[in-house]
């Protein structure tokens, strides 16, 4: 049986939602941690918010298990990124959208705000929109509307929470512009494991080179690696970055390649791209993940950032 058929059969066999006596709060299931963070801030304690894709897993390649499918079917609202991020789950999400409340968060953004996926796919858009804090704030507003529609009795609380978190994200965006603006112009080039940072580069004025493409499903070519090695040596780029949810193999090959060419580059740190940090840590929140990325990038590329970042809560810059 093909994977797609398996998923659809599994979905049909899971049956109707089973709500336990203790489960009186609505259950909201977000695919990624970044979406779950927005839903959690908007709902506070009136709903139980859970993330489907666990910390450190890659949403491009994530395939739901039977118990994941059960969670999806039992949710009172599913929030997915859409735009091809949850690539392996697309057939299942499309199927679910016909029988369960499912909100695709990317739909609030008009195409003028979106970046292209690649030249090979002119009709598709880059799904990594959380990397631009202003765009993510618009996604927050879209999720708030979806929550109001689903839970109208909570309208006042959602509106209040929306206003509070929007204001926090506005401050974070101001911090990003200020701190990243201290990076010397000729060093504003961000080299990472895969192309998750195009929106970041677009918003904060950085050229971005991902070793792998927008999705992690294609292997980086030798040609791409040697092209990046040449760029680093020629432009004297001081640091490159690994990502917590993507293998560091290619980035390490680049480090070796640059050194073999007589260039100097260091590992600037580990960035949170498609997954946040561990639950319960500062980096396990959207604000913490972005603070970590902004602060790490600025420091590694010759800029200046306050000792402990935006909120004085950074738990350490992973190398
Ligand atoms: Zn990605």
């Amino acid at each position: 049986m093909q994977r797609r058929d398996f998923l659809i059969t599994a979905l049909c066999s899971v049956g109707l939602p089973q709500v336990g006596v203790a489960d009186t709060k609505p259950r909201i299931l977000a695919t990624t941690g970044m979406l779950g963070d927005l839903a959690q801030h908007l709902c506070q304690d009136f709903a139980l918010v859970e993330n489907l894709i666990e910390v450190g897993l890659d949403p491009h390649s994530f395939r739901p298990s039977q118990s994941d499918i059960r969670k999806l079917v039992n949710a009172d609202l599913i929030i997915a990124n859409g735009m091809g991020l949850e690539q392996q789950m697309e057939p299942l999400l499309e199927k679910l959208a016909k029988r369960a409340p499912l909100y695709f968060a990317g739909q609030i953004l008009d195409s003028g705000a979106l970046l292209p996926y690649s030249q090979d796919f002119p009709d598709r858009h880059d799904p990594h929109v959380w990397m631009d804090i202003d765009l993510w704030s618009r996604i927050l507003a879209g999720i708030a509307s979806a929550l109001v529609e689903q839970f109208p009795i909570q309208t006042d609380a959602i509106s209040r929470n929306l206003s509070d978190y929007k204001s926090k994200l506005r401050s974070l965006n101001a911090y990003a512009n200020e701190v990243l603006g201290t990076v010397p112009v000729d060093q504003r080039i961000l080299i990472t494991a895969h192309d998750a940072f195009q929106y970041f580069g677009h918003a904060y004025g950085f050229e971005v080179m991902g070793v792998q493409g927008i999705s992690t499903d294609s292997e980086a070519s030798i040609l791409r690696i040697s092209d990046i090695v040449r760029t680093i040596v020629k432009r004297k780029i001081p640091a490159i970055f690994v990502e917590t949810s993507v293998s560091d193999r290619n980035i390490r090959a680049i480090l070796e390649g640059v050194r073999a060419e007589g260039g100097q580059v260091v590992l600037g740190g580990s960035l949170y791209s498609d997954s946040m940090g561990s639950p319960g840590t500062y980096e396990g929140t959207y604000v913490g993940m972005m603070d970590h990325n902004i602060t790490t990038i600025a420091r590694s590329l010759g800029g200046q950032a306050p000792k402990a970042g935006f909120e004085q809560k950074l738990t350490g810059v992973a190398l």
Side-chain angles (χ1 to χ4, degrees):
M1 189 187 293
Q2 287 200 341
R3 181 81 198 168
R4 185 189 169 110
D5 296 337
F6 164 75
L7 287 174
I8 291 168
T9 307
L11 173 62
C12 296
S13 67
V14 170
L16 292 169
Q18 296 165 352
V19 180
V21 178
D23 298 329
T24 50
K25 290 184 181 180
R27 304 180 83 86
I28 295 169
L29 189 61
T31 54
T32 68
M34 292 76 83
L35 288 168
D37 174 279
L38 299 186
Q40 186 65 67
H41 276 91
L42 291 166
C43 297
Q44 299 291 342
D45 58 359
F46 84 73
L48 294 169
V49 179
E50 199 182 345
N51 307 325
L52 184 70
I53 303 172
E54 282 178 30
V55 167
L57 297 184
D58 175 355
H60 301 283
S61 59
F62 179 81
R63 290 173 188 271
S65 65
Q66 272 281 357
S67 76
D68 292 328
I69 293 169
R70 197 167 296 115
K71 280 185 201 168
L72 283 159
V73 172
N74 286 345
D76 294 293
L77 178 66
I78 301 162
I79 302 173
N81 189 93
M83 298 194 288
L85 179 72
E86 301 95 343
Q87 208 170 338
Q88 303 298 328
M89 287 177 65
E90 262 177 13
L92 175 63
L93 291 175
E94 281 163 20
K95 183 89 180 164
L96 274 166
K98 294 188 183 129
R99 59 176 275 175
L102 190 154
Y103 178 69
F104 285 109
Q107 72 187 45
I108 193 79
L109 302 174
D110 60 51
S111 57
L114 299 173
L115 297 175
Y117 186 93
S118 77
Q119 287 175 340
D120 299 334
F121 299 95
D123 298 336
R124 293 179 62 187
H125 293 112
D126 181 343
H128 301 89
V129 288
W130 59 93
M131 287 294 172
D132 175 339
I133 299 162
D134 182 49
L135 280 188
W136 202 234
S137 191
R138 287 193 237 170
I139 294 273
L140 173 74
I143 292 176
S145 302
L147 287 167
V148 164
E149 193 172 316
Q150 198 64 25
F151 312 108
I153 198 169
Q154 300 292 348
T155 301
D156 288 349
I158 294 167
S159 302
R160 218 172 26 248
N161 297 337
L162 169 64
S163 167
D164 289 349
Y165 202 36
K166 255 191 149 172
S167 149
K168 179 82 166 279
L169 295 187
R170 211 175 295 123
S171 303
L172 179 66
N173 204 31
Y175 172 79
N177 279 306
E178 186 190 328
V179 165
L180 294 167
T182 65
V183 175
V185 174
D186 62 355
Q187 294 193 8
R188 291 186 190 177
I189 177 162
L190 186 55
I191 297 173
T192 64
H194 90 298
D195 247 343
F197 289 84
Q198 293 294 348
Y199 286 99
F200 186 97
H202 186 257
Y204 307 111
F206 281 68
E207 189 181 332
V208 175
M209 289 181 92
V211 186
Q212 283 175 274
I214 300 267
S215 171
T216 51
D217 68 351
S218 61
E219 283 295 310
S221 68
I222 304 281
L223 204 65
R224 178 74 176 155
I225 289 177
S226 48
D227 189 32
I228 291 175
V229 166
R230 263 198 310 279
T231 304
I232 294 170
V233 173
K234 192 173 157 207
R235 295 174 57 179
K236 298 187 170 55
I237 307 301
I240 60 175
F241 303 88
V242 291
E243 297 171 30
T244 60
S245 56
V246 182
S247 161
D248 63 1
R249 197 182 38 167
N250 292 327
I251 290 293
R252 295 200 179 276
I254 289 170
L255 287 172
E256 282 173 28
V258 170
R259 285 164 192 162
E261 297 276 323
Q264 285 189 327
V265 67
V266 298
L267 197 56
S270 182
L271 303 180
Y272 297 102
S273 53
D274 291 2
S275 177
M276 305 195 303
S278 304
T281 66
Y282 177 50
E283 290 79 3
T285 65
Y286 173 71
V287 169
M289 135 190 212
M290 292 304 287
D291 184 4
H292 170 95
N293 287 349
I294 293 158
T295 306
T296 303
I297 290 166
R299 285 190 191 140
S300 304
L301 294 179
Q304 289 169 346
K307 198 168 173 210
F310 169 64
E311 284 217 313
Q312 311 287 303
K313 283 184 186 168
L314 285 182
T315 51
V317 177
L319 287 171

